[in-house]
Amino acid sequence: MNKREAKSGFIFTKHTPKDQSPFEKLFDVFQELITHTSGDFDEAMDWLEQLDEEYNLTTEDYTLDDFVEDLKKKGYLREEIKVDGSNGLAITEKTERALRKRALEQIFGKLRKSGAGNHRTKQTGRGDEQAGEFRDYRFGDSLEQISMTESFKNAQINHGLGDFTLSENDLVVEETMYKTQMSTVLMIDISHSMILYGEDRITPAKKVAMALSEFITTRYPKDTLDILVFGNDAWPIKIKDLPYLNVGPYHTNTVAGLELAMDLLRRKRNTNKQIFMITDGKPSCVRLPDGRYYKNSNGLDSYIVNKCYAMASQARKLHIPITTFMIAEDPYLIQFVEHFTAANQGKAFYTGLKGLGEMIFSDYETNRRKRIK
């Protein structure tokens, strides 16, 4: 064997951390803190000061005051007047975009860019993406679909090289594939249980929502994503509001969330529609016809549960699959989700917080490869 011949296999080298400026190092920590504090700049800076005292994040040449000044100069902070009339600082839209991009990289990894970024189906015809298959030209096919290389090849085979002639019978068309569009509603449980027992569940849910919104808007811009939150009631929120999302003293009105999700999807013209629901607790609240709330946090209330099953069945009739991401391991809650999923003929994942983002990303990518019927 020639010693100069290239060898195949893995080459391991010593890890060399990327060179970051003092601002970049602090900005990484700041973005994590501002997400945890739901956009509260003062609270985030209090945490940053404590971390600085413990881990010496700053130096005499670059202090926290220098960092704040750089945040303002770079457009990450804006001055505002607080409710009490005092001056303060708040994050800007540029920071909100940075948080979404960071969440995408954290949860989904640095995804490879694709071309047009739409959802493929298995149906060929007069679409807008080449399928790599050829057929004879038919009346009505557009000129853009004609494969000139294959057509010239046919002409040479059929008529010879001496007197080149190209007829209609020589024309070959390359099949294209239709592209679908997906409309997704992401439901986030903001009931009080999302921060109970010393476990912060709302921050990972926010990160997933920010990452998913950044992924869809950059890779599949023709798709739509609506985000709603549900506690005693349900209401839609804008993507830019995600960093500020927090839990409240709410019960879990899953029915209200599903009603709003289906109402949002009814307005979409896309054929493919789906609901992602992130929740950690049992349904414990519904709104009665007279406007009063019926609440019961003790076990699974049959009245509330049956309302949930009815909504799941209604979504199935509308061809809207529901994927539930359950952040709980209680057997009776798992049994509820299994019955709920069966009523909708959807899917359910029982997951901890660590794998939540990867599961949602994987399921979104799986659904975009098929046509939901």
Side-chain angles (χ1 to χ4, degrees):
M1 177 179 176
N2 189 339
K3 292 183 179 180
R4 295 183 179 178
E5 191 172 320
K7 296 180 180 180
S8 61
F10 295 100
I11 298 176
F12 295 93
T13 59
K14 185 178 180 180
H15 171 67
T16 304
K18 65 179 181 179
D19 189 24
Q20 287 184 302
S21 67
F23 172 81
E24 290 171 335
K25 291 178 181 178
L26 285 173
F27 191 52
D28 273 349
V29 181
F30 174 77
Q31 288 180 92
E32 189 70 27
L33 293 174
I34 204 71
T35 303
H36 277 280
T37 60
S38 299
D40 189 322
F41 173 76
D42 293 334
E43 186 181 354
M45 289 305 299
D46 287 341
W47 280 104
L48 190 56
E49 287 177 6
Q50 293 182 39
L51 291 173
D52 185 28
E53 291 178 3
E54 186 172 353
Y55 298 104
N56 298 318
L57 301 178
T58 62
T59 64
E60 293 182 359
D61 295 328
Y62 195 82
T63 65
L64 284 181
D65 289 336
D66 296 326
F67 174 63
V68 172
E69 285 302 313
D70 278 349
L71 285 174
K72 290 192 284 188
K73 289 177 183 177
K74 295 176 184 291
Y76 291 110
L77 288 180
R78 59 178 173 82
E79 295 184 356
E80 69 170 9
I81 299 177
K82 296 182 179 181
V83 179
D84 60 4
S86 61
N87 294 327
L89 293 170
I91 61 175
T92 63
E93 291 184 7
K94 184 177 181 180
T95 310
E96 294 164 4
R97 290 194 299 270
L99 293 176
R100 293 197 296 269
K101 184 178 179 181
R102 184 172 186 270
L104 178 63
E105 293 175 351
Q106 277 186 328
I107 295 175
F108 298 153
K110 294 185 177 179
L111 301 168
R112 296 178 180 175
K113 293 182 180 179
S114 64
N118 292 298
H119 306 292
R120 299 178 183 178
T121 68
K122 295 180 180 179
Q123 299 179 352
T124 58
R126 194 177 300 170
D128 53 2
E129 181 171 325
Q130 294 178 343
E133 299 176 1
F134 300 95
R135 62 170 172 80
D136 293 337
Y137 171 85
R138 293 195 295 262
F139 178 77
D141 289 330
S142 65
L143 294 177
E144 291 81 5
Q145 289 179 270
I146 297 175
S147 172
M148 299 308 298
T149 302
E150 295 297 322
S151 298
F152 286 154
K153 187 188 298 182
N154 275 355
Q156 292 174 355
I157 294 173
N158 295 335
H159 309 293
L161 297 174
D163 185 15
F164 180 78
T165 304
L166 180 67
S167 66
E168 182 178 332
N169 293 331
D170 301 321
L171 297 179
V172 174
V173 167
E174 183 171 6
E175 288 279 25
T176 54
M177 298 191 67
Y178 287 104
K179 294 178 183 177
T180 64
Q181 296 175 348
M182 178 73 76
S183 289
T184 302
V185 172
L186 176 62
M187 297 173 50
I188 302 176
D189 183 352
I190 59 167
S191 62
H192 185 59
S193 60
M194 291 290 278
I195 55 169
L196 280 180
Y197 315 116
E199 187 172 38
D200 177 12
R201 295 165 176 169
I202 190 64
T203 298
K206 282 194 294 187
K207 285 187 176 181
V208 167
M210 288 191 290
L212 188 62
S213 62
E214 184 71 9
F215 175 71
I216 291 175
T217 54
T218 56
R219 187 165 181 175
Y220 302 110
K222 293 183 180 180
D223 286 7
T224 66
L225 173 66
D226 289 279
I227 301 171
L228 66 87
V229 294
F230 61 104
N232 291 347
D233 290 296
W235 59 93
I237 63 172
K238 297 179 180 179
I239 290 175
K240 69 180 184 66
D241 297 329
L242 282 169
Y244 314 101
L245 185 63
N246 215 333
V247 300
Y250 307 126
H251 287 69
T252 307
N253 192 343
T254 307
V255 170
L258 293 170
E259 287 176 338
L260 178 57
M262 286 190 284
D263 184 52
L264 290 169
L265 289 174
R266 283 192 192 98
R267 305 174 190 177
K268 309 297 182 184
R269 296 181 179 180
N270 298 344
T271 302
N272 294 302
K273 303 174 181 180
Q274 63 182 349
I275 295 173
F276 287 164
M277 179 168 64
I278 302 174
T279 182
D280 75 318
K282 59 183 177 293
S284 59
C285 173
V286 291
R287 193 169 187 175
L288 300 174
D290 61 5
R292 292 182 297 115
Y293 293 97
Y294 174 73
K295 303 173 184 178
N296 186 359
S297 299
N298 299 319
L300 287 173
D301 186 287
S302 59
Y303 178 77
I304 297 175
V305 166
N306 287 332
K307 288 283 187 181
C308 292
Y309 295 155
M311 293 301 301
S313 298
Q314 185 178 341
R316 177 177 55 82
K317 292 176 182 177
L318 294 173
H319 308 291
I320 301 174
I322 302 171
T323 303
T324 304
F325 298 89
M326 191 71 174
I327 313 171
E329 297 178 353
D330 306 72
Y332 77 105
L333 292 180
I334 291 176
Q335 185 179 21
F336 158 71
V337 173
E338 287 177 349
H339 291 158
F340 178 86
T341 303
N344 176 255
Q345 294 183 4
K347 287 181 287 185
F349 296 94
Y350 307 96
T351 174
L353 297 174
K354 188 175 181 180
L356 179 63
E358 289 84 349
M359 284 188 174
I360 289 183
F361 166 68
S362 177
D363 198 58
Y364 185 87
E365 285 283 81
T366 300
N367 289 345
R368 75 180 182 81
R369 295 190 188 103
K370 65 183 180 182
R371 197 170 184 84
I372 299 174
K373 297 180 180 180

